[in-house]
Amino acid sequence: MGYLSAVDAQLLSASRNGARALEEFVRSARGASPSLVRDRLAELGLSVPTQGVARALSEQPCPELHPLDYEWYFSRICAQSVAEKLSQLPSPILCLGAPTVAKALAEIGHSVVLIDRNPLVEVRLGRLHDRIQLQTTDLTHLIRASHQFGTVFFDAPWYPEQEELWLWQATRAVRPGGTIAFSLPPPLLRPMALTDRVAILHEAERIGDVSIEEEVLTYDTPLFEAEALRASGLPLLPNWRTSDLVLITNVRGLAERHARDRFDRDIWDTWVIGCQVIKLRRTPGSNSTPPLQSIPGTVDWVYHSVSRRDPSRASIDLWTSRNRVAKVGQWTLVVEALDALSREEDGRSWLPVAVGGSDLESLSAILDLQR
């Protein structure tokens, strides 16, 4: 069965089982994007309103989550449920890229080691960080843990090279006979997702005893994704992303590490203004071009996607946690403006000097300064 046929089969089954709202169909589609679900419903002749009742986002972390850091956090209820499961497994516990689970473990009195590449995680953890030993490390580098942990839990970005890398790191950190638990992306996430799942599960079975709990992991919708949904003409869909929980018990060996290119080659500099996180690609542009240019397909600077595979992504030089994007020409001037904004209580008065009066309105819109 082809990918679109598999998505259609899920949607038709959901319709027969009484689904009527877009949110119900999206959750039934096992990872297919909401925009694809909308399009396939129209193709199938199933009339579904795309503008639902007004919804509120779950409480957002501060600093805000950013798509370039692949920051989808588990819902609070889900993080608590995972923490309860992990607390019954051998200790000590290591979390790779799962801050909300580490925080939930700390809240029930457990000490935990958390490895995450983003230094802003420490601010988000707040007062509980004294129970959490945080190591700020990119997992493309070897982690400083040699078979020390009874249990390792990881939530890798949903790309096969990352899942493979994180599983390999987990097998290096866990003790022989220990347990590895991880989030497995849903089978209809993209056309090759089912093949990718089979490959990672095959590797898991090679190193231990495997069990799967389907659709038990739920993610909050981050602000950047809510903005992408809005830009695509879709309503807010809270907690629509789900994944499966895989347990590998009686771990007895290392996962294979296949040679692959680095996940992210570009360097991005980061500013925090209030709760907003702004990233600027470290690639100075020509001073002969305008400081800021819109990305084709965006409306009011808002990007319609969060996917690494979207073709427009390579053109983005400036990207905010509210999914506003731009191409940057006069890199130095934009850096000066961001430096000024991050230093000042209200740095907007610096903008005409830093960027030029004609671009004040554009930069203000991109940075969403009125929020």
Side-chain angles (χ1 to χ4, degrees), residues 13 26 34 61 72 75-76 92 98 136 148 157 185 188-189 197 217 220-221 224 226 232 245 276 279 306 330 348:
S13 175
V26 169
W72 278 265
S75 69
R76 182 171 179 80
T136 306
Q148 299 175 7
L188 296 180
L189 177 68
R197 279 170 58 102
L217 301 179
D220 280 333
T221 298
F224 63 79
S232 298
L245 177 64
Q276 188 174 186
K279 290 184 179 286
V306 294
Q330 299 186 31
R348 277 169 282 184

Side-chain angles (χ1 to χ4, degrees), residues 130-337:
D130 59 341
R131 293 192 193 134
I132 301 172
Q133 181 185 331
L134 175 63
Q135 298 177 16
T136 306
T137 303
D138 190 314
L139 288 182
T140 56
H141 306 296
L142 292 177
I143 59 176
R144 300 188 304 273
S146 179
H147 306 298
Q148 299 175 7
F149 295 92
T151 299
V152 178
F153 176 76
F154 70 82
D155 183 28
W158 286 0
Y159 297 95
E161 63 270 31
Q162 290 295 292
E163 296 157 32
E164 172 197 286
L165 170 63
W166 290 42
L167 179 59
W168 176 70
Q169 293 276 32
T171 57
R172 293 181 60 256
V174 74
R175 292 194 303 255
T179 298
I180 295 171
F182 65 94
S183 170
L184 181 68
L188 296 180
L189 177 68
R190 61 180 71 92
M192 291 300 294
L194 183 57
T195 299
D196 296 336
R197 279 170 58 102
V198 169
I200 198 73
L201 287 173
H202 176 76
E203 187 64 22
E205 290 167 353
R206 195 183 67 80
I207 62 176
D209 302 324
V210 175
S211 61
I212 304 174
E213 297 180 44
E214 293 188 348
E215 298 185 82
V216 298
L217 301 179
T218 303
Y219 296 79
D220 280 333
T221 298
L223 179 57
F224 63 79
E225 185 167 58
E227 291 293 294
L229 289 169
R230 182 175 66 83
S232 298
L234 292 161
L236 173 64
L237 300 168
N239 309 124
W240 73 272
R241 286 183 180 268
T242 63
S243 64
D244 301 341
L245 177 64
V246 178
L247 287 175
I248 310 173
T249 55
N250 302 314
V251 174
R252 49 184 173 265
L254 288 175
E256 289 189 26
R257 177 71 183 113
H258 302 285
R260 293 182 185 264
D261 291 338
R262 287 180 61 87
F263 192 51
D264 292 316
R265 295 184 179 89
D266 295 320
I267 298 173
W268 295 76
D269 295 313
T270 302
W271 287 260
V272 179
I273 300 172
C275 288
Q276 188 174 186
V277 177
I278 297 95
K279 290 184 179 286
L280 179 66
R281 193 194 303 268
R282 197 183 295 176
T283 51
S286 169
N287 286 330
S288 63
T289 60
L292 299 167
Q293 303 170 66
S294 63
I295 303 296
T298 60
V299 177
D300 296 329
W301 307 97
V302 180
Y303 188 34
H304 64 275
S305 178
V306 294
S307 172
R308 183 165 66 99
R309 290 176 165 84
D310 187 82
S312 300
R313 188 178 177 115
S315 302
I316 297 172
D317 296 321
L318 179 71
W319 198 338
T320 80
S321 54
R322 297 169 187 179
N323 227 43
R324 284 152 172 79
V325 297
K327 185 172 181 60
V328 174
Q330 299 186 31
W331 186 85
T332 301
L333 293 181
V334 174
V335 168
E336 290 175 359

Side-chain angles (χ1 to χ4, degrees), residues 85-106:
K85 289 179 184 291
L86 297 180
S87 70
Q88 306 302 313
L89 297 174
S91 59
I93 299 172
L94 169 65
C95 288
L96 303 177
T100 52
V101 171
K103 183 174 183 178
L105 282 164

